[in-house]
Amino acid sequence: MSRKSRRISSPDPGDTWVPRTRRRESPLAMAGHAVKFLGYSTLAGVLLAGVALPAAGALGLTAKNTADNFDSIPDDFKTPPLSQASQIFDAKGGLIAKVYERDRTVIPADQMSPLIRQAQVDIEDARFYEHGAVDLKGVLRAATKNAESGTTVQGASTLTQQYVKNVNVEKAGDDQAAVLEAQRKTLGRKIQELKYAIKLEEDLTKDQILTNYLNITFYGHQAYGIQAASQRYFSKDAKDLTVPEAAMLAGLVQNPSQYDPKLHPVAAQKRRDTVIDKMVENKHLTAAQARDAKATPLGLKYKDPQNGCITANAGMGFFCDYVRHVVKQDPVFGKSAAERKKLWDQGGLNISTTLDPDKQAAAQNAVTKKVYVTDPVSAAITMVEPGSGKILAMAQTRPYGLDPDKNQTVVNYNADAGMGGGNGFQPGSNFKPIVAAAALEAGLPATQIYPAPNRMDWPTMKTCDGTWKNLEKGKKGGSIPNESEKESGPYDLKQAMALSVNTYFVQMEQEIGLCAVKQMANKLGVATKASGDPLQELPALGLGTQEVSPLVMANVYATFAAEGTYCAPLAINRITTVDGKDVPVVPAKCERVMSEDTADVINTVLLGVTEKGTARELGLDGDRQIAGKTGTTDEKKSAWFSGYTANLAASVWLGGPAKGVPMKNIRIGGKYYQEIFGATGPGPIWQLAMNQALKGMPRDTFDTVYIPDPPKRDPNPSGSPSGSGTASPGTAPTGAGAPGGRTADPGRTADPGRPRSTQPAEQHTDQHTEQTGRGDGDRPDGSQNDG
């Protein structure tokens, strides 16, 4: 008779059963009954492995529909490449910075200490090598204990199932909703994890699964995988872990926050000792070894996470950021922006760059010694290797960072806006050698003479598509002066470059046309303004009124040093994956953009600037042969010096980073200046940096040419007065040398130049572009003077 029927009938005197209120069993207890009922069946593993679940009946599930759901899950489980940290190195192998989305370095089994492999198994899944994807004994044990306690005190997920869950979290990436979904303890999720675990156990060995698990698992403090964890907490590789160190790290996996050794050292040590006990229990440590390990302090040698260019040393943060832009923008690193970003964030790359640490130190020392971080102005310098385009140094006064109160910035003053820089700075007369190169390539001789009056109206000029006309003649904005009232021609190219005579180069522009100047600028790497906007064909283009960056200008002058061979800026030498495989990089791109003869003339003329011109005080130690050009803009808001030897080019900018600071009556680097010029502000920075950077380098020299001096001036010349600006701009003295004409004997005159018209180019009035000269960017006077 059942107890139910006996309750209805008269009580049996011998029956001691007493009716009482039926206890409502918890879902955990019901789960325990369900497991005992199902026994060792596979379905029990499907339903209950790893979590305390409600009874199957409570969910309305039957063995049939659960099996159907199981069969419907695709078994093509794919493990994605793990997100790994990338490391950026200088040209000598020094670490510049480490960048990552997840700090992880994937390592093979033989680079993992056997102690960490054993400790992780013992604490997480002691029967790992004995069971399949599901540990049915573990399921029964865990369910029974959880049912008895009424809470979850023990789980039964196998290490393989845990690995599957971690893979799903890895696939979710930064998508927090997807991460939470991957971690949800639902029946459907567990069924899916189980099927994938079964598939993995068919495809991989146990040792392979364990290795993958140790590489993917999170150990706290941004450390993913055992190698990153070993470095984070103990500053050593995973292969060198000791028993107590391995036990502590293995214990972190269950709850990295709760057992955080930095924040909760007592809890971490207790957890470590629990792992050690497990290793003894499973006969992987002796009692004596366990006692010694437990007696050992935690012994942390913790290193804070170092992520991104902001952690770079020696002022290398800006170059690091430049490399980041290269990887994220060049199609060689991926067809789409998303692919390139993923490569940078997760690729696990070893990026070897062109940055020379010695030259970087020289550049950083110069910009910070000559200009203080608290000064109202800043300085920037880029060094480039002629003939390769390699960026050897990139430094600026203001440090890389996000705190404006400390004068930090993440704007790279050396680069264009598209590469992490700003909108650039007017280069002033730094641009004039480009005009000269265009003129020589157009056939003008190295001895070219122009009247070059002290002031002149902007002349009509040919553009690529028409004609530019001065609509403000007779007004201040419609004319251009020279820097000094004493500067009045005629001048030849050598004199005009040495003294930086504005009107000379305006007349040169008039003769060859603005289109020729723009095209030469493009060939030399000045493809656009620093902002990315196109260069405007305005007369002041040749006087440097359109903003550029120091990197661009350094590369212009490196092209002169390389005898007319332009090489695109190069920041990366080589990239390999962590397993040593090469990744395609941006190839060197070099091409001849002017004849060697033209380059030799430019080098000769710019050598004169440093010997007799505005840069004559900037000589280097050991009387190294140098060439260069100063540049100063209107109101002294920007000052430049770009100079080079035959094997190293550098460009220095000095000025106010935003909106400009008039550098008059100003203190910079602890020194007072009545006014700044290219030779007095950026020039000494260049000199200091180059002297240090060139130590140990060969004393290479330029191939120069003989350019005869012009005839002595007649105090009362016939024809148009020198200041009128009406003389034919093409007139040259008899016997003028051809462009780049060489001679072995300095006393001999080069061959006469080829015949050419002495009249200005024909002005096309039926197709022209007229400019009013109004507006900051369009003022034909260019708001520029030079020192």
Side-chain angles (χ1 to χ4, degrees):
M1 182 181 294
S2 71
R3 290 185 183 274
K4 183 175 181 180
S5 63
R6 283 164 51 194
R7 283 201 299 271
I8 297 173
S9 61
S10 300
D12 184 341
D15 191 349
T16 58
W17 177 82
V18 178
R20 57 183 174 180
T21 304
R22 184 177 181 181
R23 185 179 70 174
R24 182 179 178 85
E25 292 187 309
S26 70
L28 289 171
M30 295 174 68
H33 297 323
V35 172
K36 291 177 182 178
F37 177 77
L38 292 171
Y40 288 97
S41 69
T42 301
L43 190 56
V46 172
L47 292 174
L48 300 162
V51 292
L53 295 171
L59 291 173
L61 293 171
T62 66
K64 182 180 183 305
N65 65 32
T66 302
D68 289 343
N69 289 338
F70 185 82
D71 290 338
S72 68
I73 299 171
D75 58 6
D76 59 340
F77 181 65
K78 291 184 176 22
T79 57
L82 294 183
S83 171
Q84 297 189 67
S86 290
Q87 298 184 96
I88 305 168
F89 300 95
D90 63 37
K92 293 187 176 181
L95 181 65
I96 294 175
K98 189 177 184 181
V99 296
Y100 52 82
E101 187 175 82
R102 291 183 175 173
D103 189 5
R104 176 191 286 121
T105 300
V106 174
I107 57 175
D110 61 8
Q111 292 183 29
M112 299 175 183
S113 166
L115 293 170
I116 185 59
R117 295 175 70 85
Q118 197 60 67
Q120 202 71 74
V121 168
D122 286 345
I123 192 62
E124 291 295 323
D125 186 1
R127 299 182 63 255
F128 174 63
Y129 284 97
E130 300 169 24
H131 60 66
V134 178
D135 181 8
L136 295 178
K137 285 185 179 180
V139 170
L140 290 171
R141 183 183 62 251
T144 300
K145 285 187 175 291
N146 293 340
E148 289 172 353
S149 68
T151 60
T152 304
V153 296
Q154 192 172 108
S157 281
T158 64
L159 194 145
T160 307
Q161 288 172 280
Q162 291 180 45
Y163 171 63
V164 170
K165 182 174 73 173
N166 281 329
V167 168
N168 288 330
V169 171
E170 181 76 17
K171 287 179 177 178
D174 290 333
D175 186 338
Q176 289 303 309
V179 170
L180 291 174
E181 178 61 27
Q183 295 174 330
R184 284 180 62 197
K185 294 182 178 181
T186 64
L187 181 60
R189 176 66 58 190
K190 284 300 168 182
I191 292 173
Q192 182 191 66
E193 287 177 2
L194 175 59
K195 180 154 188 178
Y196 290 154
I198 292 171
K199 178 64 175 173
L200 281 173
E201 295 259 356
E202 292 173 353
D203 296 341
L204 302 176
T205 67
K206 288 285 190 177
D207 281 340
Q208 289 173 323
I209 293 171
L210 177 58
T211 299
N212 291 353
Y213 177 86
L214 287 166
N215 274 318
I216 200 172
T217 300
F218 179 56
Y219 289 88
H221 285 272
Q222 299 183 37
Y224 289 82
I226 192 59
Q227 176 65 10
S230 300
Q231 288 290 342
R232 177 76 72 252
Y233 295 106
F234 298 110
S235 298
K236 61 167 59 174
D237 291 330
K239 65 182 176 61
D240 299 321
L241 291 170
T242 63
V243 170
E245 291 167 348
M248 194 210 82
L249 293 178
L252 278 175
V253 172
Q254 186 183 83
N255 194 323
S257 299
Q258 182 178 339
Y259 302 123
D260 183 341
K262 284 279 290 178
L263 300 177
H264 310 295
V266 174
Q269 187 157 337
K270 287 182 179 178
R271 176 65 174 168
R272 179 199 71 177
D273 292 350
T274 298
V275 176
I276 293 171
D277 289 339
K278 282 287 184 181
M279 295 180 76
V280 173
E281 179 184 323
N282 290 291
K283 298 184 175 13
H284 297 127
L285 286 181
T286 66
Q289 289 173 322
R291 281 195 303 271
D292 291 342
K294 287 183 178 182
T296 304
L298 287 178
L300 296 183
K301 291 183 180 178
Y302 180 82
K303 289 192 297 190
D304 284 319
Q306 297 289 305
N307 185 19
C309 294
I310 202 165
T311 65
N313 295 321
M316 297 180 182
F318 296 102
F319 178 78
C320 172
D321 189 67
Y322 183 87
V323 171
R324 179 175 70 90
H325 279 82
V326 171
V327 173
K328 288 191 172 184
Q329 291 184 27
D330 200 292
V332 74
F333 297 111
K335 294 180 180 179
S336 67
E339 287 179 14
R340 297 189 292 269
K341 181 181 184 302
K342 185 175 182 180
L343 180 67
W344 176 261
D345 292 338
Q346 305 176 14
L349 307 175
N350 290 322
I351 303 173
S352 175
T353 71
T354 61
L355 197 73
D356 184 311
D358 298 327
K359 291 175 175 55
Q360 175 66 25
Q364 186 68 21
N365 174 63
V367 293
T368 54
K369 186 173 183 178
K370 293 291 186 180
V371 183
Y372 297 159
V373 69
T374 54
D375 287 343
V377 297
S378 189
I381 177 174
T382 297
M383 294 182 179
V384 172
E385 180 180 71
S388 73
K390 290 183 178 180
I391 303 170
L392 303 181
M394 183 178 281
Q396 66 189 53
T397 303
R398 300 196 176 179
Y400 189 86
L402 299 170
D403 190 348
D405 292 335
K406 295 180 180 178
N407 295 294
Q408 295 176 349
T409 182
V410 292
V411 178
N412 185 354
Y413 301 145
N414 280 289
D416 288 356
M419 298 300 291
N423 290 330
F425 314 96
Q426 291 183 346
S429 294
N430 242 220
F431 205 92
K432 288 174 180 172
I434 299 176
V435 179
L440 292 168
E441 286 291 287
L444 271 62
T447 52
Q448 179 66 43
I449 293 177
Y450 291 111
N454 183 256
R455 178 183 284 271
M456 62 179 286
D457 286 336
W458 293 99
T460 298
M461 294 190 189
K462 231 180 134 178
T463 66
C464 293
D465 299 317
T467 304
W468 183 91
K469 289 185 177 181
N470 183 359
L471 302 183
E472 300 223 342
K473 285 185 178 180
K475 301 178 182 179
K476 184 177 180 180
S479 64
I480 176 68
N482 290 326
E483 169 66 15
S484 169
E485 294 180 0
K486 297 179 181 179
E487 288 177 0
S488 181
Y491 292 109
D492 71 347
L493 178 59
K494 289 191 301 182
Q495 295 170 313
M497 191 71 79
L499 298 175
S500 203
V501 179
N502 289 336
T503 57
Y504 178 93
F505 290 95
V506 170
Q507 291 183 314
M508 181 171 273
E509 273 188 311
Q510 179 191 13
E511 179 157 6
I512 63 174
L514 289 169
C515 191
V517 176
K518 180 181 178 181
Q519 289 173 346
M520 177 54 69
N522 292 165
K523 291 178 181 179
L524 288 168
V526 193
T528 64
K529 297 181 186 179
S531 64
D533 294 336
L535 293 176
Q536 294 175 288
E537 291 181 72
L538 299 170
L541 170 64
L543 302 185
T545 60
Q546 299 186 41
E547 296 81 2
V548 294
S549 64
L551 171 58
V552 165
M553 293 310 294
N555 218 24
V556 167
Y557 284 76
T559 304
F560 298 146
E563 294 193 292
T565 297
Y566 168 81
C567 297
L570 194 66
I572 298 173
N573 281 326
R574 185 186 182 195
I575 298 180
T576 59
T577 59
V578 289
D579 55 359
K581 294 180 181 177
D582 281 311
V583 174
V585 298
V586 181
K589 299 174 185 175
C590 298
E591 62 176 325
R592 177 160 297 284
V593 296
M594 68 182 70
S595 70
E596 286 188 27
D597 288 346
T598 293
D600 290 344
V601 171
I602 295 296
N603 291 335
T604 302
V605 170
L606 294 182
L607 183 63
V609 174
T610 64
E611 291 179 340
K612 301 177 182 178
T614 54
R616 57 188 175 275
E617 301 298 327
L618 300 179
L620 297 180
D621 295 344
D623 293 326
R624 283 184 185 266
Q625 192 182 55
I626 61 171
K629 185 70 187 75
T630 55
T632 314
T633 64
D634 193 39
E635 297 184 45
K636 310 299 184 286
K637 288 185 177 180
S638 282
W640 293 71
F641 184 72
S642 296
Y644 56 103
T645 64
N647 49 13
L648 184 62
S651 184
V652 179
W653 159 83
L654 174 68
K659 297 184 179 179
V661 174
M663 291 184 287
K664 298 180 180 179
N665 299 313
I666 191 172
R667 187 169 292 277
I668 301 174
K671 183 178 178 181
Y672 172 78
Y673 295 88
Q674 185 174 0
E675 58 182 337
I676 286 290
F677 293 95
T680 59
I685 298 173
W686 180 91
Q687 185 181 45
L688 178 62
M690 290 289 280
N691 269 329
Q692 185 178 339
L694 286 164
K695 287 181 179 178
M697 292 186 68
R699 296 175 180 272
D700 295 347
T701 56
F702 306 115
D703 286 336
T704 57
V705 296
Y706 171 63
I707 305 174
D709 292 329
K712 291 185 178 180
R713 292 192 191 187
D714 184 341
N716 295 300
S718 60
S720 300
S722 63
S724 68
T726 58
S728 295
T731 303
T734 303
R742 297 173 184 268
T743 176
D745 183 353
R748 292 170 55 191
T749 304
D751 292 337
R754 68 188 182 200
R756 67 184 192 288
S757 171
T758 59
Q759 299 298 321
E762 181 183 354
Q763 306 299 317
H764 297 279
T765 56
D766 58 335
Q767 181 183 3
H768 66 274
T769 54
E770 295 185 348
Q771 303 292 336
T772 64
R774 295 188 178 93
D776 291 343
D778 295 296
R779 291 175 59 187
D781 70 351
S783 299
Q784 187 276 338
N785 291 309
D786 188 80

